[in-house]
Amino acid sequence: MTFVYHKKEKPEISPYFHLAFAQENLRREKQRAGLLASVFGVGVLIASFFHSFIPESAFPHQAKMAVLRVVFSFLLFMGLYELSIWNLFRLWLKKGIHMPQFTKFLNATFEVTSISLLMYLISDKFDHPILVMLSPFATLYYFFIILSTLRLNFWISFYTGLVAGFEYLLLSVYLLEQPSLVADSLDLYMSVAFAYGVKAGILVLCGACAGFVSRQIQKSIKTSIEGNETHNQLITFFGQQVSPEIADLIIKEKGMLKSQHMKVSVLFLDIRNFTKYADKHTADEVVAYQNSFFRIIVDVVNRHGGIVNQFLGDGCMITFGAPIPLDNPAENAVKAGLEIIDEIKKAVFADLIIPTSVGIGVHVGDAVIGNIGTETRQQFSITGNVVILAARIEQLNKVYGTNMLVSQDVINELSEYPALTELLGVVDVKGMEDGVELYKLS
C-alpha cells in the first residue's frame, strides 16, 4: 500500500500567526506592567522605611520631608497605575482583545514624562536645582528603556529612549544656573549643558540598543510561531493522506524515511454491504455515516498504538509496529480488532450509527517500509506478503460468516487467547502457495 505526498509546496502562514503573535505580545506587555508595578511597590517600601537613612546634610529636615512626600506619592501612583495596566491586559488576554499599537507609544510617553515631572517637582528642594539631574531619580529612565524590550517593537524602544533623552536634556537646560553663580570646578555640571547633552545622547542610544534587543526577541518569537504553525499545517496536510504519526515522522526525517524491514501486524477492515447502502442514500448521508464510523475506528486504533494508513471508502488498512515500532504488534492488533467490534455494537445500540457489520483480517510478519519515488514526488510505502495476506484473510470472513479472522502467526504472538478463539484449519488463500492456518476470534 502506498501513500503519496509532494515536497514542493510550502504551506502559507495563516492568520493564526498574527493572532498568536498578538497574544504573545500582550502577554509580554502584561509581564512588563507587572514587573514595573513590583518595582514601584518596592520603591514605596524603601521610601516608607528607609527615609531616616538620608543624611541631614543632603536636605534640611523640612525639605527632606517635602521630597519624600512627592517621591512617595509618585511611587504609589505609578505602582497603582502599572497594576491597573497589568489587570487590564489580563482581562484582554482572557477576551482575546488586541492591544492597539498607538497605545504603546502613549503609554511610553506617559511613563517617561512622569519621571521628568517628578524631578521637576523636587528640583527646588535642592540647593542647586540642577543637581536633581544627577540624582538617583534620573536612573528611573533606564527602567522604562530596558523593559521596553518586552514590547517586541524596535520603534517603541527607540521612541522611549528618544523621549527620555529629549526630556532629560530639556529639563537640564531649564535648570542650569548662570556660570557666575557657581565655582569654576562645578561649572561643567552646574551651568554647562554639555554633560547633560552627552547623558541625553546615552539615553537615546540605550533606547536604540533596547530596540535592537527587542527586534531580536521579536524575530525569535516569530520564528518559533511560524515553525510551530508550519509543522502543524504540514501534519494536517499530510494527515489527509497518511496518519498524523507518519506525517510527523516524515517531517522529522525531512521527507526521507529510511527504507527498512520491520515486524508489523496489518489489520484490514471492511464494512459489509456498504456498496448497497451507498447506492440507496445521498452523498451527504454516506459521508456522514463514514465519518461517524471511522471516528470509532480511529479512536480505538489510537488507544492501541496503531496507525490508520489508508481509508478505503468501505474499509481501511491499519498497521501496528510501522513506522513506529511496538513490543507486540500482533497483540495490539487483536485487542484493537475485538474492541472495534465491541464499540460498533455499542454505537449501533446507542443509535449513533446505522446497524453495521464488519469483517476484520489480521496477519503479522516482516514488511518493508520507506520512501520510493523521485525528489519531486515521494510516496511512503508499506509492502510485503504480510499486507497481501492480511487483505486475503479479511475477505475470507464472507466465506465463513465471521467478523474477525487471524492467522496462526498472530496466535503465536499472543500472551493469552481471546475467549471465543476457534481453529478453522488450514485454508488455501488466493495467491499463496502454502495454505494458511486460520482462527476465528469473532
Side-chain angles (χ1 to χ4, degrees):
M1 305 299 295
T2 57
F3 315 94
V4 180
Y5 64 91
H6 299 277
K7 296 173 65 179
K8 275 188 173 181
E9 297 183 14
K10 181 179 179 181
E12 295 181 359
I13 301 301
S14 72
Y16 161 80
F17 164 77
H18 302 289
L19 176 61
F21 183 74
Q23 289 294 96
E24 180 63 26
N25 207 328
L26 193 54
R27 277 191 289 269
R28 297 304 176 101
E29 285 284 346
K30 176 173 167 285
Q31 289 175 350
R32 176 183 174 279
L35 184 56
L36 281 171
S38 300
V39 168
F40 288 120
V42 171
V44 169
L45 293 176
I46 293 174
S48 301
F49 298 106
F50 297 99
H51 63 85
S52 58
F53 291 94
I54 300 176
E56 294 293 337
S57 58
F59 297 101
H61 178 74
Q62 189 173 3
K64 181 172 75 171
M65 296 309 296
V67 169
L68 285 172
R69 280 195 297 270
V70 174
V71 170
F72 183 84
S73 300
F74 166 79
L75 293 173
L76 184 61
F77 171 78
M78 291 302 295
L80 294 174
Y81 169 77
E82 296 295 348
L83 187 61
S84 65
I85 292 295
W86 176 87
N87 188 58
L88 177 64
F89 291 158
R90 181 180 64 85
L91 295 175
W92 283 7
L93 276 171
K94 284 186 176 180
K95 296 179 179 180
I97 299 175
H98 295 176
M99 182 181 183
Q101 197 77 337
F102 76 91
T103 60
K104 296 182 181 182
F105 289 95
L106 291 177
N107 182 253
T109 304
F110 174 79
E111 291 173 339
V112 172
T113 303
S114 68
I115 301 173
S116 303
L117 180 61
L118 169 68
M119 292 196 293
Y120 170 75
L121 292 175
I122 64 175
S123 62
D124 63 347
K125 307 302 186 293
F126 289 78
D127 291 337
H128 300 281
I130 188 63
L131 291 178
V132 74
M133 308 308 293
L134 302 177
S135 70
F137 298 112
T139 61
L140 290 175
Y141 286 120
Y142 293 105
F143 277 106
F144 293 111
I145 294 174
I146 292 170
L147 292 180
S148 69
T149 57
L150 292 175
R151 294 188 140 152
L152 305 179
N153 187 295
F154 171 85
W155 293 111
I156 294 176
S157 293
F158 179 73
Y159 175 79
T160 303
L162 186 65
V163 172
F166 174 76
E167 292 189 0
Y168 180 85
L169 179 60
L170 191 65
L171 186 57
S172 298
V173 171
Y174 176 77
L175 296 176
L176 283 175
E177 300 177 1
Q178 296 298 321
S180 59
L181 299 179
V182 297
D184 291 341
S185 60
L186 298 177
D187 189 68
L188 178 63
Y189 293 103
M190 306 292 272
S191 60
V192 179
F194 175 77
Y196 302 101
V198 172
K199 193 169 182 179
I202 292 174
L203 288 172
V204 175
L205 184 60
C206 286
C209 292
F212 174 79
V213 174
S214 179
R215 178 167 289 178
Q216 298 310 305
I217 296 173
Q218 180 190 49
K219 288 181 179 179
S220 176
I221 292 174
K222 280 186 175 182
T223 300
S224 176
I225 293 175
E226 288 175 352
N228 287 337
E229 183 185 8
T230 299
H231 182 271
N232 292 337
Q233 287 185 342
L234 286 172
I235 290 292
T236 301
F237 172 73
F238 282 127
Q240 295 171 359
Q241 302 180 46
V242 299
S243 74
E245 293 86 352
I246 295 176
D248 189 42
L249 189 59
I250 289 172
I251 293 169
K252 287 179 179 178
E253 297 296 328
K254 298 181 179 179
M256 292 301 298
L257 289 179
K258 181 181 178 182
S259 297
Q260 57 181 312
H261 288 267
M262 296 189 71
K263 183 178 182 179
V264 301
S265 185
V266 179
L267 182 155
F268 273 90
L269 180 149
D270 179 70
I271 304 173
R272 294 292 180 251
N273 301 316
F274 178 79
T275 303
K276 293 180 180 179
Y277 173 83
D279 288 341
K280 296 179 180 179
H281 292 79
T282 66
D284 289 341
E285 290 173 328
V286 172
V287 171
Y289 167 70
Q290 287 177 309
N291 289 338
S292 299
F293 176 83
F294 285 119
R295 187 177 295 113
I296 297 171
I297 305 303
V298 171
D299 288 343
V300 172
V301 170
N302 287 342
R303 285 198 291 272
H304 293 278
I307 294 171
V308 179
N309 296 93
Q310 189 176 27
F311 293 105
L312 305 173
D314 61 346
C316 57
M317 170 187 167
I318 303 166
T319 58
F320 297 82
I324 302 172
L326 295 172
D327 292 335
N328 192 334
E331 191 158 69
N332 286 51
V334 168
K335 289 180 178 178
L338 292 173
E339 187 173 338
I340 285 172
I341 294 171
D342 186 51
E343 289 298 318
I344 290 174
K345 290 179 181 178
K346 290 179 181 179
V348 171
F349 181 78
D351 202 27
L352 298 176
I353 60 174
I354 62 172
T356 299
S357 178
V358 298
I360 294 175
V362 182
H363 185 50
V364 65
D366 181 75
V368 176
I369 72 163
N371 282 2
I372 60 174
T374 67
E375 291 184 356
T376 58
R377 183 178 174 87
Q378 295 278 316
Q379 60 185 28
F380 173 73
S381 174
I382 299 178
T383 57
N385 284 337
V386 62
V387 178
I388 299 171
L389 189 51
R392 297 285 191 266
I393 291 174
E394 184 283 311
Q395 293 171 3
L396 290 171
N397 281 290
K398 298 176 182 178
V399 177
Y400 288 96
T402 55
N403 292 121
M404 184 171 176
L405 296 173
V406 302
S407 66
Q408 178 69 58
D409 291 336
V410 171
I411 294 295
N412 293 341
E413 296 288 326
L414 302 182
S415 57
E416 59 179 357
Y417 298 160
L420 300 179
T421 301
E422 178 184 342
L423 175 63
L424 298 180
V426 178
V427 178
D428 290 330
V429 178
K430 180 181 177 181
M432 299 293 169
E433 294 182 2
D434 300 325
V436 177
E437 199 161 19
L438 285 186
Y439 286 80
K440 167 189 172 183
L441 300 189
S442 176

